[in-house]
Amino acid sequence: MTPAPPTDPPNPPLTRTARRRNRIVAVTCLVVVWVLLWGTLSWANVISGLVVAAVLLAVFPLPPVTFAGRIHPLPLLRFALRFLLDLVVASAQIAWLALRVGHTPRSAIIAVQLRVNTDLNLTLTAEALSLVPGSLILEADRSTGTLFIHVINVDSLAEVEQFRRGVLELEARIIAAIGSADEQRRVREGAYPPADLEGAPT
């Protein structure tokens, strides 16, 4: 009888330090999203965000996702500054679209496969995209690490490709800020996957 092939050992349980670190990362991300949604950095919003984060983590406990990376201060600062710039530029573009008379903006649904397929990277990239005006996450496929994004003001396939590359560059900035060495290597060595459109600009 042929012996069964060896199976991978189960993931070891998280240590107390790892669980504490994961909770801190989850609370920090939830508070940041809460403050960004309100649009004002104040003690009231920070405290209320902490309360909301505590309630969410208590009522809807997250699965034990291991945070394998570490915080890199300088890339994190670059990510924050570029994110704020994207917010300003996208807001101005949407305002200009609203003021243009007789112009009907076209849109597209774009599938972008991320190069680092982890729950944390998928969530952070989707949240960052959703907070920028003009793009909306329709679906996230965990099995393939693919985001399906509705994008407004897309007039050509060249602009579709430009947006898709922008998503992958956003992923690269997130991985540079909090990713592990292996995740950063995968982003550097990974080629841009081919574009996958759910429909041409309409």
Side-chain angles (χ1 to χ4, degrees):
M1 172 181 282
T2 304
T7 58
D8 295 332
N11 293 328
L14 296 178
T15 64
R16 181 178 301 178
T17 302
R19 288 196 300 268
R20 185 183 302 114
R21 180 182 61 178
N22 287 353
R23 292 194 193 101
I24 292 174
V25 171
V27 169
T28 301
C29 292
L30 288 172
V31 171
V32 170
V33 171
W34 179 264
V35 172
L36 288 174
L37 288 175
W38 280 102
T40 303
L41 178 60
S42 65
W43 283 111
N45 285 340
V46 172
I47 293 174
S48 61
L50 288 171
V51 173
V52 170
V55 171
L56 287 176
L57 292 178
V59 178
F60 305 103
L62 297 174
V65 178
T66 302
F67 176 62
R70 58 186 295 266
I71 303 298
H72 304 279
L74 188 57
L76 182 61
L77 178 61
R78 292 196 190 103
F79 166 77
L81 293 176
R82 177 58 186 270
F83 179 73
L84 292 175
L85 177 63
D86 290 342
L87 280 178
V88 173
V89 172
S91 298
Q93 291 174 342
I94 295 300
W96 171 244
L97 284 177
L99 294 175
R100 293 180 65 180
V101 179
H103 173 71
T104 302
R106 307 174 73 188
S107 61
I109 298 176
I110 311 172
V112 182
Q113 184 177 3
L114 303 182
R115 290 163 291 185
V116 177
N117 185 9
T118 64
D119 288 344
L120 182 61
N121 182 51
L122 196 67
T123 301
L124 292 180
T125 305
E127 288 288 349
L129 286 170
S130 296
L131 290 172
V132 175
S135 58
L136 178 66
I137 302 297
L138 299 179
E139 184 181 349
D141 187 346
R142 292 180 60 194
S143 62
T144 61
T146 302
L147 295 176
F148 296 86
I149 313 159
H150 179 271
V151 188
I152 197 172
N153 195 29
V154 176
D155 293 322
S156 66
L157 291 178
E159 292 183 352
V160 169
E161 178 64 15
Q162 180 181 0
F163 178 85
R164 190 184 66 87
R165 286 184 173 269
V167 174
L168 295 176
E169 290 170 1
L170 171 63
E171 177 200 18
R173 290 193 293 272
I174 291 175
I175 294 300
I178 64 169
S180 65
D182 178 67
E183 291 171 342
Q184 293 180 10
R185 179 188 58 80
R186 277 188 278 169
V187 168
R188 288 194 303 268
E189 296 178 356
Y192 287 100
D196 185 6
L197 305 183
E198 287 295 303
T202 57

